[in-house]
Amino acid sequence: MKREIIITGDGSTTLQIKDWNEQYHSKHGAIQEAYHVFIQNGFSLFGQNDLAILEIGFGTGLNALITYLEGKKTEQKIQYTGVEKYPITHEEFHSLNFISELQCEAAAKDFLLMHEAPSEEEIAISENFQLTKLQKDFRDLDFDNAFDLVYFDAFGARVQPDLWTEAIFLSMFKALKSGGVLVTYAAKGSVRRAMQAVGFSVERLPGPPGKREMLRATKPIT
């Protein structure tokens, strides 16, 4: 399926799948959306605690990059697992402008390593940031009590409804530790109900630019 680079509303790039009219990040602002959904409403909840994070939809690596940058500020240890069935190409990676837009040139080599790292291996991106990439279908994951935080960044339910079902969210519920959190840009009622059906406590939160709401789901403390 053909992908092309586009410029989003805040000047940062993303990939667009033309056949689906679907983008990897919000066309209103890729970086703005990533910070709002995953950092401000997810990562920041944990203070300076060490974290195990699962990202559903590694894609361009933007969420991993900004998590790496935020973690450097607090010196917390981060174990990051990114799942992506169809990794982006070398050419696509070099067309992304996240490093220049974030003004983080010192992280350029580390961001390149995130993309060049082999799958199924834990790689030390830095002393405090360990990355494992899995080239798998989201439906084949089987984790148990392994993560503090899930970034759920799959393609939208409009184009891939099978990734937003009770079965998927049950897998996410199982993967999270007691009190763990899942954040996503999505806000559809059907998604919220699927999360609630498997046991999550779900909040509607203000969304990023161009989106009225987003969802945050918490696994009850047991």
Side-chain angles (χ1 to χ4, degrees):
M1 200 161 292
K2 186 176 180 181
R3 301 183 294 215
E4 66 178 20
I5 299 288
I6 64 168
I7 303 293
T8 68
D10 63 5
S12 58
T13 47
T14 192
L15 287 165
Q16 181 181 55
I17 299 177
K18 294 194 71 175
D19 291 348
W20 288 355
N21 189 29
E22 181 80 354
Q23 296 81 37
Y24 277 56
H25 308 286
S26 171
K27 63 184 179 182
H28 298 283
I31 288 175
Q32 287 179 353
E33 177 193 46
Y35 266 100
H36 180 92
V37 174
F38 302 109
I39 300 301
Q40 295 172 20
N41 288 297
F43 183 85
S44 65
L45 299 177
F46 294 87
Q48 295 184 347
N49 294 326
D50 295 345
L51 281 178
I53 299 173
L54 172 64
E55 180 179 15
I56 299 300
F58 186 81
T60 65
L62 174 58
N63 297 330
L65 174 62
I66 62 175
T67 301
Y68 166 81
L69 295 173
E70 292 301 307
K72 285 192 74 172
K73 296 176 185 177
T74 55
E75 298 184 347
Q76 63 201 108
K77 294 186 183 299
I78 298 170
Q79 297 277 344
Y80 198 102
T81 301
V83 185
E84 178 59 60
K85 189 175 182 181
Y86 302 107
I88 69 171
T89 67
H90 183 81
E91 181 182 5
E92 288 168 337
F93 166 75
H94 283 282
S95 297
L96 300 171
N97 68 358
F98 302 146
I99 296 296
S100 59
E101 287 297 307
L102 289 165
Q103 299 180 0
C104 62
E105 283 72 16
K109 288 184 179 179
D110 292 335
F111 189 41
L112 177 61
L113 179 56
M114 289 181 186
H115 280 278
E116 293 188 338
S119 294
E120 313 293 336
E121 293 183 28
E122 183 176 278
I123 303 296
I125 304 299
S126 70
E127 183 179 354
N128 290 335
F129 193 98
Q130 307 290 321
L131 172 67
T132 302
K133 295 192 302 184
L134 302 176
Q135 191 171 350
K136 288 186 174 183
D137 191 296
F138 305 151
R139 290 161 290 199
D140 295 334
L141 300 178
D142 186 23
F143 293 108
D144 188 14
N145 195 38
F147 300 99
D148 303 289
L149 178 61
V150 171
Y151 294 165
F152 200 87
D153 202 14
F155 287 127
R158 176 181 62 84
V159 296
Q160 289 198 308
D162 53 329
L163 301 182
W164 300 85
T165 61
E166 288 185 22
I168 290 287
F169 288 117
L170 181 59
S171 174
M172 297 298 100
F173 189 89
K174 180 183 174 186
L176 281 166
K177 301 174 185 177
S178 175
V181 172
L182 179 153
V183 282
T184 182
Y185 65 87
K188 287 186 68 172
S190 59
V191 172
R192 176 176 53 82
R193 290 188 292 273
M195 291 175 173
Q196 290 172 327
V198 303
F200 280 114
S201 174
V202 185
E203 305 168 78
R204 289 192 187 97
L205 301 172
K211 198 163 179 56
R212 189 165 61 90
E213 292 180 329
M214 58 165 282
L215 297 175
R216 181 166 65 203
T218 304
K219 183 175 181 176
I221 296 174
T222 55

